[in-house]
Amino acid sequence: MIVLVDLLLMLIDLTYSILAAVVQTFVRPRLKCIDGELCLITGAGGALGRLFALEFAKEGAHLVLWDCNTAANERTAELARELGVRVHAYTVDLSRRASIYEAAERVRAEVGDVSMLVNNAGVVAGRRLLDCPDEILERTLLVNCHALFWMTKAFLPQMKAKNHGHIVTIASALGLFSTACVEDYCASKFGAVGFHESLTHELLADDLDGIKTTLVCPYIVDTGMFAGCEIRKELRSLIPPLQPLYTVQQSMKAILAEQLMICIPRIMYIPFLTRALLPWEANLATYRFMGGDKCMLPFIKNVEMKTSNGVINSS
């Protein structure tokens, strides 16, 4: 009897969730106020990180900016300070666990408890698996995936103590479905998605409803990180690379609405669903038709031309 009651309640919750999602598609949800919140953004010196910093500053949040590029990070800090918020910039190597924990201790001592954590930093090797040195492959996984564990362990305890906070993971559409020749990046982003979802389930199971999570999965963003990547030319106008500002603004709407997940653009939900529903061969046929099997080859060629200068693609 208890099982039947629980089943009925589950069906009611399921129906309500679907209807609420449909309504939110057409009605702008209420956005929360984050004025005075302390927001930490990783990869703040990059294109997306800088835009996130400025958008959070416009909402009145005080900022803690982390990046391995000191000059770029300080430039972001300067721009954010012009908007009238407190900003603290730290040079942190996210590929080193000790660097994360040391910087986290400094933040707690010098600034205070972080209430919003935006895990934005990301890198990609841009080389075929067999041509890529092990240490570069490891760096992709350390920055894009492993750092999420250390960041969360560093800042979640304070959020749990107050039952207040928000953890944002900037993943990728390539964390929901894969493409050829970027095994390191796909593996790291699949890991990021899995980590984020499991963390969300844990928080809900512990009744920590004051700690929100948002998973952001954008298509390729035109930041130069995947310069040269292109699908079949006849379809490029249908799914063009995303503009950075548009990507960040859509992400901010989802964060402030406390939306659990967002794919940008919405058409990215289609391959996410078909991957699960259709046979492998059917997905493969669509993938080849769209040029997904060779879309990364121009990007890899561009990276090979830069390797002599020691350039590593990062967001």
Side-chain angles (χ1 to χ4, degrees):
M1 186 64 183
I2 295 177
V3 173
L4 294 177
V5 172
D6 285 344
L7 176 61
L8 178 60
L9 292 174
M10 184 271 289
L11 292 174
I12 293 173
D13 286 341
L14 179 65
T15 303
Y16 173 79
S17 299
I18 294 173
L19 292 175
V22 172
V23 170
Q24 288 178 4
T25 302
F26 300 99
V27 179
R28 183 176 179 178
R30 181 178 179 182
L31 304 182
K32 69 178 179 180
C33 175
I34 59 171
D35 185 54
E37 299 279 358
L38 185 58
C39 175
L40 189 155
I41 302 170
T42 63
L48 290 185
R50 179 167 296 169
L51 290 170
F52 270 118
L54 298 178
E55 291 297 317
F56 274 101
K58 291 175 184 177
E59 296 293 331
H62 301 298
L63 303 177
V64 175
L65 307 179
W66 283 16
D67 202 287
C68 61
N69 186 326
T70 303
N73 202 32
E74 288 293 344
R75 178 55 181 159
T76 301
E78 291 174 7
L79 293 172
R81 289 189 185 105
E82 293 175 0
L83 297 174
V85 299
R86 290 189 290 110
V87 184
H88 300 263
Y90 296 82
T91 301
V92 185
D93 182 356
L94 292 181
S95 68
R96 295 180 55 247
R97 180 177 56 194
S99 179
I100 291 174
Y101 286 157
E102 289 168 5
E105 287 291 343
R106 286 187 60 195
V107 169
R108 280 191 290 271
E110 299 171 5
V111 188
D113 292 337
V114 169
S115 56
M116 300 196 73
L117 177 59
V118 182
N119 290 305
N120 164 74
V123 297
V124 62
R127 304 186 193 182
R128 287 176 176 270
L129 177 63
L130 299 183
D131 297 331
C132 189
D134 291 349
E135 58 271 19
I136 295 180
L137 288 172
E138 289 176 345
R139 177 174 171 77
T140 303
L141 292 167
L142 288 169
V143 173
N144 296 2
C145 184
H146 292 191
L148 302 179
F149 290 81
W150 320 138
M151 294 294 295
T152 303
K153 291 186 72 174
F155 295 105
L156 182 58
Q158 294 75 38
M159 295 183 188
K160 292 180 72 172
K162 301 175 181 178
N163 191 22
H164 175 75
H166 200 141
I167 297 175
V168 181
T169 302
I170 309 301
S172 170
L174 291 181
L176 304 174
F177 53 87
S178 59
T179 191
C181 301
V182 281
E183 290 88 349
D184 62 321
Y185 191 79
C186 287
S188 69
K189 291 303 183 179
F190 266 78
V193 170
F195 169 81
H196 181 96
E197 291 184 349
S198 181
L199 175 64
T200 300
H201 287 307
E202 179 177 333
L203 293 172
L204 293 173
D206 290 340
D207 292 323
L208 293 168
D209 56 354
I211 304 176
K212 310 301 180 180
T213 64
T214 300
L215 175 65
V216 181
C217 294
Y219 179 58
I220 294 171
V221 185
D222 190 14
T223 61
M225 187 175 182
F226 284 97
C229 174
E230 51 190 28
I231 59 174
R232 185 170 183 158
K233 62 181 181 181
E234 293 88 352
L235 301 175
R236 289 172 201 166
S237 60
L238 178 63
I239 318 176
L242 299 171
Q243 290 302 308
L245 181 58
Y246 172 80
T247 304
V248 170
Q249 289 176 338
Q250 292 299 306
S251 301
M252 286 297 296
K253 289 179 182 178
I255 294 167
L256 296 179
E258 297 181 343
Q259 187 173 330
L260 289 173
M261 176 186 178
I262 181 172
C263 288
I264 310 172
R266 290 184 180 275
I267 197 173
M268 287 298 104
Y269 287 107
I270 296 176
F272 174 44
L273 291 172
T274 58
R275 181 180 184 273
L277 297 175
L278 297 181
W280 169 262
E281 291 80 7
N283 281 298
L284 182 59
T286 305
Y287 173 72
R288 286 177 172 170
F289 169 77
M290 297 186 67
D293 55 337
K294 298 180 180 178
C295 68
M296 289 293 173
L297 296 182
F299 157 64
I300 291 173
K301 185 176 180 179
N302 285 345
V303 173
E304 289 174 347
M305 294 174 64
K306 297 177 181 178
T307 51
S308 58
N309 298 323
V311 175
I312 297 178
N313 286 341
S314 62
S315 63

